[in-house]
Amino acid sequence: MNDNIIKTVGCPEWGTRIDNALFFFEFCGIMIAEDIVHFGGFDISADILRKGSVRWNVRANLTYMANRITAMDVQDFSGMNIGGNSFVNYNSVASPVGSILGYIVDADGNIVDQTGDGRFNESDKVFIGSSIPKIFGGLTSNLSFGHFSFQLSLDWAAGHKVANMNNYLVDVDLFDAIREKDSTYSLTSKMAGDGDFLRLGLVGLKYDIPVSWKWIKKLSVGASCYNAAIFSRYDGWSPDVNCFGITALSNGLDYGSYPFCRTFMLSFSAQF
């Protein structure tokens, strides 16, 4: 457990900068927000098979993380402004950093008036979910047999929400219905999807050509595909997205974000 971890802020010269695999933080003399982070996990590697010319190695890692704000400055309540003075993320005591805030939509498609006063404003918006995955990890597999070698890579994340604001751009009826009740670009629970995904990040095959030439020691040809497939219930391009980049206060927002490309590659290499 780590206490007093804060968002990235400008530091005086004596500040200490810390980088780690999960986040980037800066510790400063003036505390802006306090946060408690619970995390744990494993990273293992094993030789599954070593027999003759066959070699198979698998490496896997899994991380669990949960956070809760314990104290903060009022100025950090909102995340990034998406336009029209509208905010999707919010930060408050006892909630996770960068929580997704919005209106609840009932089974009939109506926005729920939480206060019952007939008006729709910030008081009617509630916590919809955390924008930061609780579980994430990856797996790589390297298999070689004879002159062939096969590589596969997977990564995944689960336990978070993604705010698909692109619905505003393609669903005119949804846009008009929300703007009729609220003049801001507000999020609803209908637009916040599960961000769980499993991605086949790399699949590749290589063949080492046997050679006995004087000037060439080794020849190989190969084919690979990056971002080969992604399995998710998210209705946007990709759940692994955040249009504001890596920031502590605003996460999980898909608003005009460019999707990951699928890349096919053919390779040829020679060693002299």
Side-chain angles (χ1 to χ4, degrees):
M1 180 180 75
N2 291 340
D3 295 345
N4 300 330
I5 295 181
I6 61 177
K7 74 180 183 73
T8 303
V9 295
C11 283
E13 292 183 358
W14 49 266
T16 301
R17 178 168 294 185
I18 296 178
D19 289 281
N20 60 43
L22 302 179
F23 291 103
F24 169 77
F25 297 106
E26 293 179 352
F27 284 77
C28 299
I30 301 176
M31 184 65 67
I32 303 298
E34 296 180 357
D35 186 28
I36 293 180
V37 179
H38 299 269
F39 69 95
F42 66 84
D43 186 348
I44 60 174
S45 178
D47 290 323
I48 305 299
L49 183 63
R50 295 179 65 90
K51 184 176 182 181
S53 62
V54 180
R55 299 287 188 274
W56 184 19
N57 176 268
V58 174
R59 181 169 184 174
N61 66 82
L62 180 70
T63 299
Y64 166 82
M65 184 182 66
N67 73 89
R68 175 172 56 87
I69 297 175
T70 58
M72 60 173 291
D73 193 305
V74 176
Q75 67 179 1
D76 298 316
F77 175 82
S78 300
M80 301 291 290
N81 189 338
I82 66 170
N85 199 33
S86 301
F87 302 88
V88 172
N89 297 109
Y90 79 111
N91 303 275
S92 65
V93 175
S95 297
V97 174
S99 296
I100 294 178
L101 182 72
Y103 294 118
I104 296 296
V105 176
D106 61 21
D108 297 324
N110 299 314
I111 298 176
V112 177
D113 182 3
Q114 300 287 344
T115 59
D117 59 3
R119 296 180 297 176
F120 294 88
N121 49 41
E122 295 297 317
S123 300
D124 296 298
K125 296 180 181 179
V126 298
F127 172 79
I128 294 178
S130 173
S131 62
I132 300 176
K134 290 184 178 179
I135 299 174
F136 52 92
L139 180 145
T140 59
S141 173
N142 293 283
L143 173 64
S144 62
F145 46 98
H147 296 288
F148 289 92
S149 59
F150 176 76
Q151 184 178 10
L152 180 144
S153 175
L154 300 170
D155 63 282
W156 56 77
H160 64 298
K161 295 286 187 179
V162 178
N164 188 1
M165 299 299 288
N166 296 310
N167 288 323
Y168 268 133
L169 306 178
V170 298
D171 193 336
V172 178
D173 293 335
L174 174 64
F175 178 83
D176 292 340
I178 296 176
R179 295 283 284 183
E180 182 180 348
K181 299 179 182 297
D182 184 344
S183 60
T184 64
Y185 297 90
S186 297
L187 176 84
T188 69
S189 56
K190 181 181 178 180
M191 300 161 62
D194 291 334
D196 305 357
F197 70 87
L198 171 65
R199 175 170 47 209
L200 178 56
L202 168 65
V203 57
L205 179 66
K206 186 180 71 169
Y207 177 70
D208 294 324
I209 303 173
V211 294
S212 58
W213 301 337
K214 180 178 180 180
W215 301 106
I216 299 180
K217 298 179 180 179
K218 185 177 181 180
L219 283 176
S220 63
V221 294
S224 57
C225 178
Y226 295 87
N227 193 32
I230 188 166
F231 305 94
S232 174
R233 292 183 296 177
Y234 180 63
D235 61 356
W237 285 108
S238 171
D240 186 18
V241 63
N242 184 34
C243 65
F244 291 126
I246 301 175
T247 169
L249 297 185
S250 291
N251 286 284
L253 182 58
D254 187 0
Y255 192 41
S257 303
Y258 195 80
F260 288 102
C261 294
R262 178 171 297 120
T263 305
F264 299 91
M265 184 179 297
L266 296 175
S267 62
F268 175 82
S269 64
Q271 181 178 345
F272 299 95

